[in-house]
Amino acid sequence: MKLLKSLNESQLAAVEYNSGPHIIVAGAGSGKTRVLTIKIAYLLENGFDPSTILALTFTNKAAKEMKERVIKLIGKKAEKIWMGTFHSIFARILRAESTRLNYQPNFSIYDKEDSVALVSTVINEMNISIDSTANNVHHRISNLKNQMISPLEFSKNMAETIIDKRIASIYLEYNKRLFENNAMDFDDLLLKPIELFTNHARVLQKYRKMFKYILVDEYQDTNRAQYEILKLLTAPRTKICVVGDDAQSIYGWRGAEIRNMLEFEKDFPKAKIFRLEQNYRSTKNILSAADSVIKKNTEQIAKTLWTENNDGEKLAIIKCADEKDEAFQIAKQIKKEISSKKLSLSDIAIFYRINSQSRALEDGLRKNKIPYKIIGGVEFYRRKEVKDIVAYLRILSNQNDEESLLRIMNFPQRGIGNTSISKMIAFSRKLELSLFTTMSRVFEVIEVKERIQKNVKQFKLLLDKYIDLKDKLSLMELTSALVDELGVLRMYKEENTPESKTRYENVQELLSGIQEFSKNNPKATIEDFLADVSLISGVDQFDETNNSVTLMTVHSSKGLEFPVVFVTGCEEDIFPLNPKFDSDSQTEEERRLFYVALTRAEKKIFITYARSRYRFGEVAYQNRSRFIEEIDPSFYDELNGGIGRKSGRRKKVYYDEFYQESFDDFDQEKRSLRVGSRVTHELFGMGKILQITGSGDTQRVTIAFEEHGNKQLLVKFANLQLI
DNA sequence: GAGAGGGCTCTAGCG
DNA sequence: GAGCCCTCTC
Ligand SMILES: Nc1ncnc2c1ncn2[C@@H]1O[C@H](COP(=O)(O)OP(=O)(O)OP(=O)(O)O)[C@@H](O)[C@H]1O
């Protein structure tokens, strides 16, 4: 069979096995994803009905790619496979079955920002004092949800401290509000199916009958709820095949449990284990280097990984002066790689631990005229201007969605301020009405001024008009009419600032996104579009055909591969990020993350670290990462970047070994600002110091800038350069 | 109620 | 540095 020709023996065995539950445990680049893809194609070729296959991947993009490959191998019938992320597949099922959970099928999906906003609303309205941000409280709640601990269970059995008791009541109210808003958060998308299947035996039967073969990629990063869903859906006759590498489990902080991987044999009796040991991706040097690091972890399944690929180049570890130098060294190496090898820019990826590192890297690439693309970061659909328009669509679809309603009540400004909104909310709570309904009765809310009542009425009429149009116009017609009537594009244009220009472009891009979506789904409704939008992830937007370098976090790089990889910021406190606070198992997860970064590379790895780095508005000095020390030195060479030389315009001497001296040196620099010194400032240009007041963090300078007049600035933030 | 400006806090990774 | 909130002025 032609399909199976591209497989080695152990891969083949895994593909052909069909008798019961099985798990493929294998290291990086050993073809796990390929096996899964071909296995599905093989099933279809053998007459398996595609609509009975459920294949779960980690990102939408991975699902899309896998589907495309299967279609290529076997033809169009593969389109019927249920393929997607846990979140998207079960959101779909929840929509179909929503009424059983007393939800309406058009429920909104709240992303993290929406959820945090709701937590914040709840804290404020309940008037609970809690020494913690809404963000942290939401994180706690999300953790509880991930562990499948209900508000009731938490408050009854676990919440002992006063703070925990308060969190318990916030959690309870938060869930209640979600329900009243006809909304689910990300965690609900995994919890509600369990509720559905547990409480409605016939629904469970239906889906058990429907899915005869379940396949799961990246099984090492599934959490408790996902595991429970799989257990529920797997009837004695259901075939289940999961694939994973425990050494690549990097989402523990989101509730992922490696135990799912380690205990598969217990959970699914008579499970068969397959192992793949040949790596096809990387050179011997890369593989050995990665192996020398991951060996330091104690908790893992022993695995062998070998390759027939040649030794390749050694890794290059580059010492840089600071983050600007780091970006510069990377740009330099990129140019070198491109000109010396037959590589295109899209063969190169730059990874970082945290998104804020991308800024300096971007600057460096831009200055060197190297085109790049950032994956993730502040994602398109999470931007304010985009979310504002999406909130309108949500309200048109789901009038109970109070968070969205609040978001747009006074956007664009229509003279409905916070005071009036609070009054209406109070009214709606008292009469147990939704805020939307309250709006139609705003004339009864006597505390709201007459002029503003009229504004509310006006706004309500606008929404009513579009709710009515919703079923008469196509998605695209409706959205563009709405955007036009709101006048947001005009508004951004008139503002005419760099930010408003970006906003303008983003709204335009949203419109073309909707157009594109309508083209692919001709009968698409608002609901279809919304269902998609909330679940789009960062990597989903990755387009490898672009001729540009790819920048992304190590987390997003999972499952991908690139000929050349830069792993940046390899310093203590960046990568690993929190070594001082991490438990052993958290450090091990951090090490796995480093392992994931290294094993993305096919031919060449550059590891960079900087002696100093601006963070939180000040310079921090740190040692290079322990993970570098863990790599066997026979697999790398060391290079020096801008160390010892003066880097850029910043006047500072870099010491190789003596951090203390470096600190002194830095303080010296601050002190040496004197009345009369000439300095430059990034925004205001050249100037002369007129006055200095205070010291330390609150030290201020008054400067006469040549082009911007006199300004008073905090030294700490001004980043002044002495001339 | 809007808008400007100042002060304060937070600061990881993500579907 | 960014984002949020508060305060002050119009
Ligand atoms: N039998 C094979 N012959 C040739 N190339 C192969 C074979 N199996 C896999 N490959 C190639 O090896 C690379 C890695 O495969 P794949 O992405 O499926 O690995 P993986 O185990 O899922 O990796 P990871 O866990 O690191 O994401 C791919 O480029 C794939 O095409």
Side-chain angles (χ1 to χ4, degrees), chain A residues 524-543:
Chain A
T525 60
I526 294 193
E527 284 78 15
D528 296 331
F529 177 69
L530 288 176
D532 242 50
V533 159
S534 345
L535 297 173
I536 289 176
S537 76
V539 221
D540 295 340
Q541 297 158 49
F542 174 47
D543 174 9

Side-chain angles (χ1 to χ4, degrees), chain A residues 154-334:
Chain A
F154 182 60
S155 72
K156 252 198 186 147
N157 307 329
M158 307 169 72
E160 276 163 11
T161 63
I162 297 176
I163 296 293
D164 275 7
K165 285 194 176 30
R166 287 182 187 162
I167 288 188
S169 50
I170 297 168
Y171 181 14
L172 185 69
E173 182 65 18
Y174 167 77
N175 267 1
K176 195 172 134 232
R177 287 297 175 83
L178 280 172
F179 182 71
E180 285 168 1
N181 288 2
N182 190 29
M184 297 197 194
D185 64 14
F186 280 146
D187 303 317
D188 285 340
L189 295 179
L190 305 176
L191 286 179
K192 297 288 175 191
I194 299 175
E195 193 182 322
L196 176 72
F197 294 147
T198 325
N199 298 339
H200 302 272
R202 300 183 63 166
V203 180
L204 178 61
Q205 284 318 319
K206 177 170 132 194
Y207 287 98
R208 279 188 163 191
K209 243 185 175 155
M210 194 154 146
F211 301 132
K212 299 203 159 54
Y213 219 120
I214 301 176
L215 304 104
V216 187
D217 200 4
E218 311 277 13
Y219 190 64
Q220 75 278 1
D221 276 322
T222 50
N223 65 20
R224 173 88 191 272
Q226 288 166 324
Y227 161 79
E228 293 293 340
I229 292 177
L230 290 178
K231 285 285 283 184
L232 282 165
L233 278 180
T234 312
R237 293 170 47 199
T238 312
K239 306 271 196 328
I240 179 164
C241 167
V242 307
V243 190
D245 177 3
D246 54 297
Q248 294 186 59
S249 170
I250 54 175
Y251 283 91
W253 51 273
R254 210 171 84 184
E257 295 181 354
I258 313 191
R259 83 150 285 288
N260 292 349
M261 188 98 207
L262 305 179
E263 314 253 299
F264 185 82
E265 283 174 279
K266 265 195 221 144
D267 298 333
F268 297 92
K270 293 195 192 140
K272 181 153 170 73
I273 300 189
F274 290 90
R275 291 172 185 279
L276 311 176
E277 301 188 331
Q278 180 170 5
N279 171 298
Y280 291 92
R281 180 181 294 143
S282 315
T283 64
K284 284 202 180 73
N285 273 326
I286 291 174
L287 218 52
S288 314
D291 184 58
S292 60
V293 174
I294 200 67
K295 269 210 309 255
K296 302 279 192 287
N297 271 3
T298 53
E299 268 183 76
Q300 59 179 320
I301 306 177
K303 279 182 296 286
T304 335
L305 206 54
W306 56 274
T307 181
E308 280 176 356
N309 296 340
N310 49 27
D311 286 350
E313 291 178 46
K314 286 188 178 182
L315 284 69
I317 296 183
I318 308 177
K319 168 154 63 170
C320 309
D322 54 24
E323 76 278 7
K324 288 182 188 167
D325 184 38
E326 182 181 44
F328 174 76
Q329 297 304 329
I330 290 172
K332 194 168 105 185
Q333 295 296 342
I334 289 176

Side-chain angles (χ1 to χ4, degrees), chain A residues 120-121 124-125 402-403 405-427 435 442 445 447-449 451-452 455-456:
Chain A
S120 174
T121 312
N124 289 333
E125 278 189 37
E402 199 177 283
E403 287 304 306
L405 186 55
L406 288 173
R407 199 181 169 103
I408 59 175
M409 187 80 83
N410 200 27
F411 173 89
Q413 276 159 12
R414 50 172 70 87
I416 311 175
N418 284 333
T419 326
S420 308
I421 293 176
S422 307
K423 297 284 189 290
M424 285 195 286
I425 290 179
F427 183 87
L435 186 56
V442 67
V445 191
E447 297 93 334
V448 174
K449 287 198 196 118
R451 181 169 53 93
I452 292 156
N455 293 343
V456 173

